Structure formats: structure tokens, C-alpha cells
Amino acid sequence: MLTRNCLGITSLVAGGLIAGCSSDSSSTSPKDNLADATGTITNACVYDGYAAMQGASGETLCLDTEGTLAFWINADGSYGFPEATPGSTENNTADPIETSTDVGSTMPSDSTVSADKPAEDSTDSEPASETQSCTTDKALYTVNGISYYKNEDGSLYYFDTDCNKTSLSTIAPASSSSENSDDPETDASSASRPGLSSSETATPVSSSSNATPSSSAVTVPNSSASVATPSNGSVPAITYAASGATVENNNNCVTVTGGEVVITCAGDYDFSGSYNGADAQIRVYSPKSDSGVYLNLRGLTLSNTADAPIYAQMSSKTFVVAKSGTTNTLSDGSSRTKSYTYVNSNNETKVDTTGACIYAKDDLTIKGEGTLIVKGNYNNGIHTSNDLRFRGATTINVTAVNNGLKGKGTVDIENGNITIAATNGDGIKSDEGEDAGSIVDNKGIVNIKGGNITITKAGDDGIQAYNYIIVQDSVSEPNIKVTSTGKGIVSDNRVYINAGKIDISSGDDGVHSNQNIYFNGGYTTIAAPKNDGVHADSTLMINDGTIYVTNSYEGLEAWYIKANGGITDVYGTDDAWNAAGGNDGSGNTNQGGQSNWGFGPGGGMGGGMGSSSGFLTITGGVHHAKTGSGDTDGIDSNGELTISGGVVIVECQISGGMGGSFDADGTASLTSKTVLGFSSGSSEKGTNYNVSFTTGNYYGTSNIAFKPSISGRYMVATTGQPAQVSNTSSYQKSVTFPSGSTVYYNE
């Protein structure tokens, strides 16, 4: 880019612009030439025949009669010129393609954590950087760091920080800024949407039981038609009262019929007031080629007795923004009698019935600094058929008959204080691909990057996804609490716990996957007294973090359990750790048809294993396993057992049967120097010592010492006869488990 102040006479030659310029000029700004004698701006680009368009950063873009950018005028009055002719390769490089992260395409490595962690999802992150791409199309120009592209009709557009496609708007004479200067909440996305008005409208299609939009609405035959009257520069303000809705500053994109408000083009719209009725609805029907629709809630109570109060029928993206300092309450009817016939972006006629209090067919983002209360009396609380995102420190309280939050494509949470009560369904759900039984790339995902999430009640599962669930701290440390009748956190394919504080109380498994589970960080507490604390049909990999299973039937269960690190403190009334093939509780022996590590849907871990199969390997970490009484095993493998590293403490209260502290149906190798087993019966694997122990003393070897919480007379050690330890100060390291016990050891 070349920017300079220009002096003298400027001539138009062969459709181009030639100017006499000086980089050190201190002359009057060229903008002084834009006004006539009355001070009215007559031509923002100075020269006849040039169209003045509003740039993304406040500059004026000047396009010639062919729509080619000739020059621009910055806010400080300086001129800028394109460095390359449009169409040349010098300045026509495509934006970097955003990296896709299909975490299932790479085989994990035993020795590294990173191979088992999906890359952090940067999709729709805010603010966008220059390395982010919203398209693979080649940019025509880059002006002040913003890339511009051309539509088929020759008009220019760019992408804002949310990757919303934003068309340039014409600067009208004597125009004024349309930004909301009195808005106390700074919205980065608003700053990138100069003009706030759209260049397009769409024809709203009424529901079968609603009145036709009034004749005052601007009706156009297709989504590419222009608005006849431009916005006056102010955000439309819709106010609800007992009689219905009224609108001020109508930009010809708002139709009001009683309590029904239909939005037909992109931009910001403010909503306030209170209304209750069968027609209490904000409906968005905006061209998908347009930029996003922002529904700014500024103290709104909207109760629809028959349908959804917010219905985003079509848009590129819809944003529901709870403005700072406001409380907004939305509730829907407990039944549905309406259906909606409309034409979608593919020119297909669709018939739709809303299935949630906030119901969207396209991308939906919830944001803001205020409070949003959602009451889903019919089905789901908040639902979109595509991607559902949460941005900003919004306080959100959702109650729902079925699912609390459902983004069929993805659910992406960066921030917010979210409380969910789902009577019969899941707290949070994403199930793209489930109907077809196959993974859709980058869909069927719940991605939690920050925020505080409390699921006070889930009639089914707490958090459920078909493809994968990832909890990470790419924005802030997530704090998640789940109380569920079913499973706490569950995926048909993969679960990644990379960070955060997670507290689960579940009627079924605490964390469950039909394929693989990876713990790479975080602090996870689980109470699942009737089932497994953590269960993976295929692989359970523990690389880092803390896993505290306070109560379970079996603490950790998978066909292949491998612990490379981390801290585990597990109590199971049956086995504490169990490596066994097949589905949860099924004893399934059909392990064929799947490659190692169990990636992908369908089947378990691979290679045609026998009926008594399983692998349990510990190479690192610090682990405490405790069982209840009965025919119980501390650490049990239905196949091979290998403990070559790490610190392992087992307390097994076996009172009949076979097993004990360590058990394996196949070969067993216990070579780590920091292994201790305490049991009331002998252990099937490992070296047994007849050493009586009580709860009041430490016992161990020169490598490890631990004070048991049970009494007995059989101990397992790997470095010779264990004995009572009177002084623990000689040990180099110690770890206190979440349950309160401390282990001392030397590496």
C-alpha cells in the first residue's frame, strides 16, 4: 500500500488517476474540497464519476465507473493508492487457508501428549487476525489491513471479525455516522460494520396463521434487490408494550404486525419492553449473502404463548446480544400449532415448525454483558440447525423440557456464566452425523474453551456430542459442573479433557466414549456410584491432569488403558481399574474391523482380539486405586498388564474370589520401583509379602511409602520386603491425593 498527501491538479487519464503528490506536504486536506458553499458534502471522492464507498476502517474508497478501486481517502485526509493493478498477481494472493483440525486423522503417539490432543479450534474466534481466512477467494485489494473481494455483480465486500460477509455501502451526501455513540457496551463486531444498514432485503414469508406483512413494508422479488430508501443512520429501535410492537428509525427492513416483528436485512436492531401473546415473535428472514443480524436486547421480556419468541428463519448469522446492565426474559408456548413456509438460500421451499424458545436454522451466536433468561416450555431451550456459539460474559439461565442447548453442527463456548436445567434431555448437545452414522468433518462437536457452565439437571446426559467433545483453556479456564440422570460427559467417538475444573455427578458413567478418551490436563471429579467413573469402549489415555473418582462401580474401564502421566485417585466398589474388551457392561468380544487406537466410528479396538482381551499399561504418573469389599480387583486386565513406570498405590478390600491388588488374565510385568499393594487377600500378580499393616502407620520400601486407609496382611512390592516406615523425610518427592492420602517416593 502507498499512502501520501496529494497537492496540485489531478487529472484523469485513460480511466486512471495521475496525481502530483508530496509525502511531506502540510497543505490543506483534500477533504476541504468536498463541500460546497453551504458546507454540504457533494462528492466524497472529489471527482465526478467516482462512487464513494465506506471502507471497513473508516476510510472512503473511491471506485471508477467500472467499479475498480482508484484510490482511497483515509480519515486523516491522506490518500492511498493500490500498489498493483486489479487482476495482477502482485497483490492478488489468496488469504491463508484456515487450518482444519480433524483430530481423528492422526494416529496418537504413545510418547507424546500433543499427538493425542486436537489443535485448538480457531473457527470464528474474535478478533480475527491477518492469518485467519474467511474465504479461499483471492482478494482484489488490501486497504489498511482489510482484504476486499468482488461479487458477481461487480460490487465490493469484505469480511468482518466474525467472518460475516459485509457489502460496501455508498456514502450519501451529508451522511452521518450510524454508529451508536451512546452504547456503553463496546462491541468489536459493530465497529467492523460501518453503516450498520444492509444493501439488500428479502421478502418475508408469513406463517400459515399469521397476517401478511403490512403494505408499508418494502417487498422485493429476490434477495439481491436494493432497498429503495437508505437507512437514516440510526439503529432501528423496536419497543414492545401491551398493544404490541412499535418501531423507530425503520430502515425499511422491519415489518411489524401486532407483536410479530420480521427483520429482512442485516444490521443492528434494538429491542426493549414487554409483551405476552401468541404473536410475540422476532423473526429473522435475511439473505444469507448479507452480513449478520444483531438482535440487541436492552431489557426485553417476550412471552410467546403458542410459538418461539425468537425464530431465525434465514440469515448468514444471527446474534442475540444481551446488552450490559439489562435482564432479558424469553419464553415459548408449551405446544406448537404454527408452521412456516419459506424459500431458503438454495431457492428451495421449506416448511418449518420451531423446536425451541430461541430457534435458528443457521449460525447463532449468544453474546453481550447482560443477562438472558430462556424458558423452553415446548422442547429445547436454545437450538440451531448449524453452529451455536457463546461469546462475551453473558449470564445465561436456560430451563427446557428437552435439551438445554443444542447446536446440531457445533456448540462452541468461549465465555459466559451458563446455567442449564434440562428436564428430559441433554444439557448441551451436538449430534451432526448421528442420523447417518458417519462423522461430518468439523461438525457434531462440543468445544468448551472457557466460561462457567452449571448443568443443575439433565434428564439424560449432561454434555453429549456425536463427533467429539473437547474441554480446553484457549480463552480462559472452564469451570463445569454436571448433574445428570444419564452420563455426565459422553461422545460416540472421542472425548478430550485438556484443561478446566470439571465436577460430575451422574446416574450412568461419568465420562464415556464409544471410542476413545484422552485426559491431557484439568481437574476432573466424578461421582458415578451405579456405573463407571470413566469408560471408553476402545482407548483411555491419561497423559496429564487429575482424575478423582469419589465413587463408582468400576473407576476406570476401557479395552486399552494407558497412563503416561497425571494424577488419579479412584474408588470403585468392584474394580478400581479394569482393562476389558467391548461395550460398557456388555462383555462384547467382537473387536474386529478396526485399526489400532480405535479411531473412527463403529467397532472397538482392533485386530480380532480374543474373548479375554484387554491391555493395561502404566508408564508414568501418580496413581491411587481403592476398591470395595467382595470379589474385587485393584488394577485388573483381562489381557496383559504392564507397569514400567509411575507411582502406583493399590488398596484392595477383597473378601472372596480371585484377584487382589493386581490381576491379569494374560502376562503381567511390574517393574516400576514405586509400586505398593495393600490387600486383605493375596494378589494374583506381583510379588506378595505377608506383612500385616494397619491404618495408623506408613509402610513401604526405600523407594516408596504410604499410610493405608484399610488394614490387612498382604502387601505387594517391587523392590523387596516392605515394612513399616517410621520417617518419611528421606523421600525426595510426595503427592497428596484429592482424597487426602499422601504418598512419598524416590524416583
Short mmCIF file of all heavy atoms in Angstrom, two decimals, residues 107-118 495-499 516-522 534 539-547 556 560-568 577 597 599 617-623 646:
data_model
loop_
_atom_site.label_atom_id
_atom_site.label_comp_id
_atom_site.label_asym_id
_atom_site.label_seq_id
_atom_site.Cartn_x
_atom_site.Cartn_y
_atom_site.Cartn_z
N MET A 107 -2.76 -40.71 13.92
CA MET A 107 -2.64 -41.76 14.92
C MET A 107 -1.89 -41.22 16.12
O MET A 107 -0.82 -40.63 15.98
CB MET A 107 -1.89 -42.96 14.34
CG MET A 107 -1.77 -44.11 15.33
SD MET A 107 -0.96 -45.53 14.61
CE MET A 107 -2.15 -46.01 13.37
N PRO A 108 -2.42 -41.37 17.34
CA PRO A 108 -1.73 -40.87 18.52
C PRO A 108 -0.41 -41.59 18.74
O PRO A 108 -0.23 -42.73 18.35
CB PRO A 108 -2.73 -41.16 19.66
CG PRO A 108 -4.03 -41.39 18.98
CD PRO A 108 -3.71 -41.95 17.64
N SER A 109 0.46 -40.89 19.40
CA SER A 109 1.76 -41.47 19.76
C SER A 109 1.76 -41.82 21.23
O SER A 109 1.24 -41.10 22.06
CB SER A 109 2.87 -40.45 19.47
OG SER A 109 4.06 -40.84 20.10
N ASP A 110 2.39 -42.94 21.57
CA ASP A 110 2.48 -43.34 22.97
C ASP A 110 3.30 -42.37 23.79
O ASP A 110 3.10 -42.20 24.97
CB ASP A 110 3.11 -44.74 23.07
CG ASP A 110 2.13 -45.81 22.61
OD1 ASP A 110 1.04 -45.46 22.14
OD2 ASP A 110 2.49 -46.97 22.76
N SER A 111 4.26 -41.73 23.15
CA SER A 111 5.26 -40.99 23.90
C SER A 111 4.99 -39.51 24.01
O SER A 111 5.68 -38.81 24.73
CB SER A 111 6.64 -41.18 23.26
OG SER A 111 6.60 -40.71 21.92
N THR A 112 4.00 -38.99 23.30
CA THR A 112 3.77 -37.56 23.35
C THR A 112 2.32 -37.25 23.65
O THR A 112 1.42 -37.97 23.28
CB THR A 112 4.12 -36.89 22.00
OG1 THR A 112 3.27 -37.45 21.00
CG2 THR A 112 5.56 -37.11 21.64
N VAL A 113 2.14 -36.13 24.36
CA VAL A 113 0.79 -35.68 24.67
C VAL A 113 0.17 -35.01 23.47
O VAL A 113 -1.00 -35.17 23.18
CB VAL A 113 0.83 -34.71 25.87
CG1 VAL A 113 -0.56 -34.14 26.12
CG2 VAL A 113 1.34 -35.41 27.11
N SER A 114 0.97 -34.24 22.73
CA SER A 114 0.41 -33.41 21.67
C SER A 114 -0.27 -34.22 20.59
O SER A 114 -1.23 -33.79 19.99
CB SER A 114 1.52 -32.55 21.04
OG SER A 114 2.53 -33.38 20.51
N ALA A 115 0.21 -35.42 20.35
CA ALA A 115 -0.41 -36.23 19.31
C ALA A 115 -1.81 -36.67 19.67
O ALA A 115 -2.60 -37.03 18.83
CB ALA A 115 0.44 -37.46 19.04
N ASP A 116 -2.13 -36.63 20.96
CA ASP A 116 -3.44 -37.08 21.40
C ASP A 116 -4.39 -35.91 21.63
O ASP A 116 -5.50 -36.10 22.11
CB ASP A 116 -3.31 -37.86 22.71
CG ASP A 116 -2.38 -39.04 22.54
OD1 ASP A 116 -2.39 -39.67 21.47
OD2 ASP A 116 -1.62 -39.30 23.47
N LYS A 117 -3.95 -34.69 21.33
CA LYS A 117 -4.78 -33.51 21.56
C LYS A 117 -5.12 -32.86 20.23
O LYS A 117 -4.25 -32.60 19.42
CB LYS A 117 -4.03 -32.49 22.42
CG LYS A 117 -3.66 -33.00 23.80
CD LYS A 117 -2.70 -32.07 24.50
CE LYS A 117 -3.28 -30.73 24.79
NZ LYS A 117 -2.37 -29.88 25.56
N PRO A 118 -6.40 -32.59 19.99
CA PRO A 118 -6.73 -31.86 18.77
C PRO A 118 -6.25 -30.44 18.87
O PRO A 118 -6.21 -29.86 19.95
CB PRO A 118 -8.26 -31.93 18.73
CG PRO A 118 -8.67 -32.07 20.16
CD PRO A 118 -7.57 -32.86 20.82
N VAL A 495 -13.53 -38.06 23.42
CA VAL A 495 -13.60 -37.02 24.45
C VAL A 495 -12.17 -36.60 24.78
O VAL A 495 -11.30 -37.45 25.01
CB VAL A 495 -14.31 -37.53 25.72
CG1 VAL A 495 -14.25 -36.46 26.82
CG2 VAL A 495 -15.75 -37.91 25.43
N TYR A 496 -11.94 -35.28 24.81
CA TYR A 496 -10.65 -34.72 25.18
C TYR A 496 -10.85 -33.79 26.38
O TYR A 496 -11.56 -32.80 26.29
CB TYR A 496 -10.03 -33.91 24.04
CG TYR A 496 -9.75 -34.71 22.78
CD1 TYR A 496 -10.73 -34.90 21.82
CD2 TYR A 496 -8.50 -35.26 22.56
CE1 TYR A 496 -10.49 -35.61 20.66
CE2 TYR A 496 -8.23 -35.99 21.41
CZ TYR A 496 -9.23 -36.17 20.47
OH TYR A 496 -8.98 -36.89 19.32
N ILE A 497 -10.21 -34.13 27.49
CA ILE A 497 -10.20 -33.24 28.64
C ILE A 497 -8.79 -32.68 28.72
O ILE A 497 -7.86 -33.36 29.18
CB ILE A 497 -10.57 -33.97 29.94
CG1 ILE A 497 -11.90 -34.71 29.78
CG2 ILE A 497 -10.62 -32.98 31.10
CD1 ILE A 497 -13.09 -33.84 29.54
N ASN A 498 -8.62 -31.46 28.26
CA ASN A 498 -7.29 -30.84 28.20
C ASN A 498 -7.06 -29.81 29.29
O ASN A 498 -5.92 -29.41 29.52
CB ASN A 498 -7.07 -30.19 26.84
CG ASN A 498 -7.02 -31.19 25.70
OD1 ASN A 498 -6.92 -32.39 25.94
ND2 ASN A 498 -7.09 -30.71 24.48
N ALA A 499 -8.12 -29.32 29.90
CA ALA A 499 -7.98 -28.26 30.90
C ALA A 499 -9.30 -28.12 31.63
O ALA A 499 -10.29 -28.78 31.32
CB ALA A 499 -7.58 -26.95 30.23
N ASN A 516 -12.71 -43.36 22.10
CA ASN A 516 -11.52 -43.01 22.86
C ASN A 516 -11.74 -41.82 23.80
O ASN A 516 -12.50 -40.91 23.48
CB ASN A 516 -10.37 -42.66 21.93
CG ASN A 516 -10.05 -43.77 20.95
OD1 ASN A 516 -10.32 -44.94 21.22
ND2 ASN A 516 -9.50 -43.41 19.80
N ILE A 517 -11.01 -41.83 24.91
CA ILE A 517 -11.00 -40.72 25.86
C ILE A 517 -9.55 -40.37 26.15
O ILE A 517 -8.72 -41.25 26.41
CB ILE A 517 -11.72 -41.07 27.17
CG1 ILE A 517 -13.20 -41.40 26.90
CG2 ILE A 517 -11.61 -39.92 28.17
CD1 ILE A 517 -13.94 -41.90 28.12
N TYR A 518 -9.26 -39.06 26.11
CA TYR A 518 -7.91 -38.57 26.41
C TYR A 518 -7.97 -37.53 27.52
O TYR A 518 -8.69 -36.55 27.43
CB TYR A 518 -7.27 -37.94 25.17
CG TYR A 518 -7.17 -38.88 24.00
CD1 TYR A 518 -8.16 -38.90 23.01
CD2 TYR A 518 -6.11 -39.76 23.88
CE1 TYR A 518 -8.09 -39.76 21.94
CE2 TYR A 518 -6.02 -40.63 22.81
CZ TYR A 518 -7.01 -40.63 21.84
OH TYR A 518 -6.94 -41.50 20.78
N PHE A 519 -7.20 -37.77 28.58
CA PHE A 519 -7.02 -36.77 29.63
C PHE A 519 -5.64 -36.16 29.44
O PHE A 519 -4.62 -36.83 29.61
CB PHE A 519 -7.13 -37.41 31.01
CG PHE A 519 -8.56 -37.70 31.43
CD1 PHE A 519 -9.15 -38.91 31.13
CD2 PHE A 519 -9.30 -36.75 32.12
CE1 PHE A 519 -10.45 -39.19 31.50
CE2 PHE A 519 -10.61 -37.01 32.51
CZ PHE A 519 -11.19 -38.23 32.20
N ASN A 520 -5.62 -34.88 29.09
CA ASN A 520 -4.37 -34.16 28.85
C ASN A 520 -4.17 -33.00 29.82
O ASN A 520 -3.23 -32.23 29.66
CB ASN A 520 -4.34 -33.63 27.42
CG ASN A 520 -4.41 -34.74 26.39
OD1 ASN A 520 -3.66 -35.71 26.48
ND2 ASN A 520 -5.30 -34.62 25.43
N GLY A 521 -5.07 -32.84 30.77
CA GLY A 521 -4.96 -31.76 31.73
C GLY A 521 -6.26 -31.61 32.50
O GLY A 521 -7.17 -32.43 32.41
N GLY A 522 -6.33 -30.54 33.28
CA GLY A 522 -7.54 -30.25 34.03
C GLY A 522 -7.64 -31.04 35.31
O GLY A 522 -6.77 -31.84 35.67
N VAL A 534 -15.00 -43.48 34.55
CA VAL A 534 -14.58 -43.18 33.18
C VAL A 534 -14.64 -44.47 32.39
O VAL A 534 -14.08 -45.48 32.81
CB VAL A 534 -13.15 -42.60 33.14
CG1 VAL A 534 -12.73 -42.32 31.70
CG2 VAL A 534 -13.04 -41.34 33.99
N THR A 539 -10.11 -46.87 23.76
CA THR A 539 -8.87 -46.45 24.42
C THR A 539 -9.12 -45.37 25.46
O THR A 539 -9.83 -44.40 25.20
CB THR A 539 -7.89 -45.89 23.38
OG1 THR A 539 -7.57 -46.90 22.44
CG2 THR A 539 -6.60 -45.41 24.03
N LEU A 540 -8.51 -45.54 26.62
CA LEU A 540 -8.43 -44.49 27.64
C LEU A 540 -6.97 -44.14 27.81
O LEU A 540 -6.18 -44.97 28.25
CB LEU A 540 -9.03 -44.96 28.97
CG LEU A 540 -8.78 -44.06 30.19
CD1 LEU A 540 -9.34 -42.66 29.96
CD2 LEU A 540 -9.36 -44.68 31.46
N MET A 541 -6.62 -42.90 27.43
CA MET A 541 -5.24 -42.43 27.52
C MET A 541 -5.16 -41.32 28.56
O MET A 541 -5.87 -40.32 28.47
CB MET A 541 -4.78 -41.91 26.16
CG MET A 541 -3.34 -41.42 26.14
SD MET A 541 -2.16 -42.77 26.08
CE MET A 541 -2.32 -43.25 24.37
N ILE A 542 -4.29 -41.49 29.55
CA ILE A 542 -4.10 -40.49 30.60
C ILE A 542 -2.69 -39.93 30.45
O ILE A 542 -1.70 -40.63 30.71
CB ILE A 542 -4.30 -41.10 32.00
CG1 ILE A 542 -5.69 -41.74 32.10
CG2 ILE A 542 -4.11 -40.04 33.08
CD1 ILE A 542 -5.88 -42.59 33.34
N ASN A 543 -2.60 -38.69 30.03
CA ASN A 543 -1.31 -38.05 29.83
C ASN A 543 -0.98 -37.01 30.90
O ASN A 543 0.18 -36.80 31.23
CB ASN A 543 -1.27 -37.37 28.45
CG ASN A 543 -1.33 -38.37 27.32
OD1 ASN A 543 -0.60 -39.35 27.29
ND2 ASN A 543 -2.23 -38.14 26.37
N ASP A 544 -2.01 -36.33 31.39
CA ASP A 544 -1.79 -35.28 32.38
C ASP A 544 -3.12 -34.96 33.03
O ASP A 544 -4.17 -35.47 32.64
CB ASP A 544 -1.21 -34.03 31.70
CG ASP A 544 -0.45 -33.13 32.68
OD1 ASP A 544 -0.50 -33.40 33.90
OD2 ASP A 544 0.19 -32.17 32.22
N GLY A 545 -3.08 -34.08 34.02
CA GLY A 545 -4.29 -33.69 34.73
C GLY A 545 -4.56 -34.58 35.92
O GLY A 545 -3.81 -35.52 36.23
N THR A 546 -5.66 -34.27 36.61
CA THR A 546 -6.06 -35.02 37.80
C THR A 546 -7.44 -35.63 37.57
O THR A 546 -8.36 -34.95 37.13
CB THR A 546 -6.10 -34.11 39.04
OG1 THR A 546 -4.79 -33.60 39.30
CG2 THR A 546 -6.60 -34.86 40.26
N ILE A 547 -7.57 -36.92 37.87
CA ILE A 547 -8.85 -37.62 37.79
C ILE A 547 -9.17 -38.14 39.19
O ILE A 547 -8.43 -38.96 39.74
CB ILE A 547 -8.81 -38.79 36.80
CG1 ILE A 547 -8.34 -38.33 35.42
CG2 ILE A 547 -10.18 -39.45 36.71
CD1 ILE A 547 -8.08 -39.48 34.46
N LEU A 556 -12.07 -46.80 36.43
CA LEU A 556 -11.59 -46.56 35.07
C LEU A 556 -11.73 -47.86 34.29
O LEU A 556 -11.19 -48.89 34.70
CB LEU A 556 -10.13 -46.11 35.07
CG LEU A 556 -9.73 -44.95 35.98
CD1 LEU A 556 -8.24 -44.66 35.85
CD2 LEU A 556 -10.55 -43.70 35.67
N TYR A 560 -8.26 -50.65 26.22
CA TYR A 560 -6.84 -50.34 26.38
C TYR A 560 -6.71 -49.13 27.29
O TYR A 560 -7.17 -48.04 26.96
CB TYR A 560 -6.21 -50.07 25.02
CG TYR A 560 -4.71 -49.77 25.04
CD1 TYR A 560 -3.91 -50.14 26.10
CD2 TYR A 560 -4.11 -49.13 23.96
CE1 TYR A 560 -2.54 -49.88 26.10
CE2 TYR A 560 -2.74 -48.87 23.95
CZ TYR A 560 -1.96 -49.25 25.02
OH TYR A 560 -0.62 -48.98 25.02
N ILE A 561 -6.13 -49.31 28.44
CA ILE A 561 -5.85 -48.21 29.36
C ILE A 561 -4.35 -47.97 29.36
O ILE A 561 -3.57 -48.89 29.60
CB ILE A 561 -6.32 -48.52 30.79
CG1 ILE A 561 -7.83 -48.79 30.82
CG2 ILE A 561 -5.98 -47.37 31.73
CD1 ILE A 561 -8.36 -49.20 32.19
N LYS A 562 -3.97 -46.73 29.08
CA LYS A 562 -2.56 -46.39 29.16
C LYS A 562 -2.40 -45.08 29.92
O LYS A 562 -2.98 -44.06 29.56
CB LYS A 562 -1.91 -46.25 27.78
CG LYS A 562 -0.41 -45.99 27.90
CD LYS A 562 0.33 -46.14 26.61
CE LYS A 562 1.83 -46.00 26.88
NZ LYS A 562 2.63 -46.08 25.64
N ALA A 563 -1.61 -45.12 30.99
CA ALA A 563 -1.33 -43.94 31.80
C ALA A 563 0.12 -43.55 31.62
O ALA A 563 1.03 -44.27 32.05
CB ALA A 563 -1.63 -44.22 33.27
N ASN A 564 0.33 -42.42 30.96
CA ASN A 564 1.68 -41.89 30.76
C ASN A 564 2.03 -40.83 31.80
O ASN A 564 3.19 -40.44 31.92
CB ASN A 564 1.79 -41.26 29.37
CG ASN A 564 1.55 -42.26 28.27
OD1 ASN A 564 2.09 -43.36 28.30
ND2 ASN A 564 0.74 -41.89 27.28
N GLY A 565 1.04 -40.30 32.48
CA GLY A 565 1.27 -39.23 33.45
C GLY A 565 -0.01 -38.93 34.19
O GLY A 565 -0.96 -39.72 34.22
N GLY A 566 -0.05 -37.76 34.81
CA GLY A 566 -1.23 -37.34 35.53
C GLY A 566 -1.31 -37.90 36.93
O GLY A 566 -0.44 -38.66 37.38
N ILE A 567 -2.37 -37.51 37.63
CA ILE A 567 -2.66 -38.00 38.97
C ILE A 567 -4.06 -38.58 38.95
O ILE A 567 -5.01 -37.94 38.50
CB ILE A 567 -2.59 -36.86 40.01
CG1 ILE A 567 -1.16 -36.30 40.09
CG2 ILE A 567 -3.05 -37.34 41.38
CD1 ILE A 567 -1.04 -35.06 40.96
N THR A 568 -4.20 -39.82 39.41
CA THR A 568 -5.52 -40.44 39.51
C THR A 568 -5.74 -40.89 40.94
O THR A 568 -4.83 -41.40 41.60
CB THR A 568 -5.68 -41.62 38.55
OG1 THR A 568 -4.81 -42.69 38.95
CG2 THR A 568 -5.37 -41.22 37.12
N TRP A 577 -9.48 -50.18 38.50
CA TRP A 577 -9.10 -50.08 37.09
C TRP A 577 -9.44 -51.43 36.44
O TRP A 577 -9.12 -52.48 37.00
CB TRP A 577 -7.61 -49.83 36.91
CG TRP A 577 -7.09 -48.49 37.35
CD1 TRP A 577 -7.47 -47.76 38.42
CD2 TRP A 577 -6.04 -47.75 36.71
NE1 TRP A 577 -6.73 -46.61 38.51
CE2 TRP A 577 -5.85 -46.58 37.47
CE3 TRP A 577 -5.26 -47.96 35.60
CZ2 TRP A 577 -4.89 -45.62 37.15
CZ3 TRP A 577 -4.29 -47.01 35.26
CH2 TRP A 577 -4.12 -45.85 36.02
N TRP A 597 -5.86 -48.12 18.06
CA TRP A 597 -6.25 -46.85 18.69
C TRP A 597 -7.71 -46.52 18.46
O TRP A 597 -8.22 -45.57 19.00
CB TRP A 597 -5.37 -45.68 18.24
CG TRP A 597 -3.97 -45.88 18.66
CD1 TRP A 597 -2.97 -46.42 17.91
CD2 TRP A 597 -3.41 -45.60 19.93
NE1 TRP A 597 -1.82 -46.48 18.63
CE2 TRP A 597 -2.06 -45.98 19.88
CE3 TRP A 597 -3.91 -45.08 21.11
CZ2 TRP A 597 -1.21 -45.84 20.97
CZ3 TRP A 597 -3.07 -44.93 22.19
CH2 TRP A 597 -1.74 -45.32 22.11
N PHE A 599 -9.68 -45.22 16.23
CA PHE A 599 -10.23 -44.00 15.66
C PHE A 599 -11.36 -44.32 14.71
O PHE A 599 -11.34 -45.31 14.00
CB PHE A 599 -9.15 -43.21 14.92
CG PHE A 599 -8.31 -42.40 15.83
CD1 PHE A 599 -7.03 -42.80 16.14
CD2 PHE A 599 -8.80 -41.24 16.38
CE1 PHE A 599 -6.24 -42.05 16.98
CE2 PHE A 599 -8.01 -40.48 17.22
CZ PHE A 599 -6.74 -40.89 17.53
N THR A 617 -1.47 -50.50 30.63
CA THR A 617 -0.06 -50.11 30.67
C THR A 617 0.09 -48.81 31.44
O THR A 617 -0.60 -47.83 31.16
CB THR A 617 0.50 -49.92 29.25
OG1 THR A 617 0.32 -51.13 28.51
CG2 THR A 617 1.97 -49.57 29.29
N ILE A 618 1.00 -48.80 32.42
CA ILE A 618 1.31 -47.59 33.19
C ILE A 618 2.79 -47.30 33.01
O ILE A 618 3.64 -48.12 33.36
CB ILE A 618 0.96 -47.76 34.68
CG1 ILE A 618 -0.53 -48.06 34.85
CG2 ILE A 618 1.34 -46.50 35.47
CD1 ILE A 618 -0.94 -48.37 36.28
N THR A 619 3.09 -46.15 32.46
CA THR A 619 4.49 -45.74 32.27
C THR A 619 4.87 -44.50 33.06
O THR A 619 6.04 -44.15 33.14
CB THR A 619 4.75 -45.46 30.78
OG1 THR A 619 3.95 -44.35 30.36
CG2 THR A 619 4.44 -46.67 29.92
N GLY A 620 3.87 -43.81 33.62
CA GLY A 620 4.16 -42.60 34.37
C GLY A 620 2.94 -42.13 35.13
O GLY A 620 1.86 -42.73 35.07
N GLY A 621 3.11 -41.05 35.88
CA GLY A 621 2.02 -40.51 36.68
C GLY A 621 2.03 -41.05 38.09
O GLY A 621 2.86 -41.89 38.47
N VAL A 622 1.09 -40.55 38.90
CA VAL A 622 0.96 -40.96 40.30
C VAL A 622 -0.48 -41.42 40.49
O VAL A 622 -1.42 -40.64 40.27
CB VAL A 622 1.31 -39.81 41.26
CG1 VAL A 622 1.22 -40.28 42.70
CG2 VAL A 622 2.71 -39.27 40.97
N HIS A 623 -0.68 -42.66 40.96
CA HIS A 623 -2.00 -43.27 40.91
C HIS A 623 -2.34 -43.96 42.22
O HIS A 623 -1.52 -44.70 42.78
CB HIS A 623 -2.06 -44.28 39.76
CG HIS A 623 -1.57 -43.73 38.47
ND1 HIS A 623 -2.29 -42.84 37.71
CD2 HIS A 623 -0.38 -43.92 37.80
CE1 HIS A 623 -1.61 -42.51 36.63
NE2 HIS A 623 -0.44 -43.16 36.66
N GLY A 646 6.03 -44.81 36.80
CA GLY A 646 4.97 -44.19 37.57
C GLY A 646 4.93 -44.70 38.99
O GLY A 646 5.61 -45.65 39.38
#
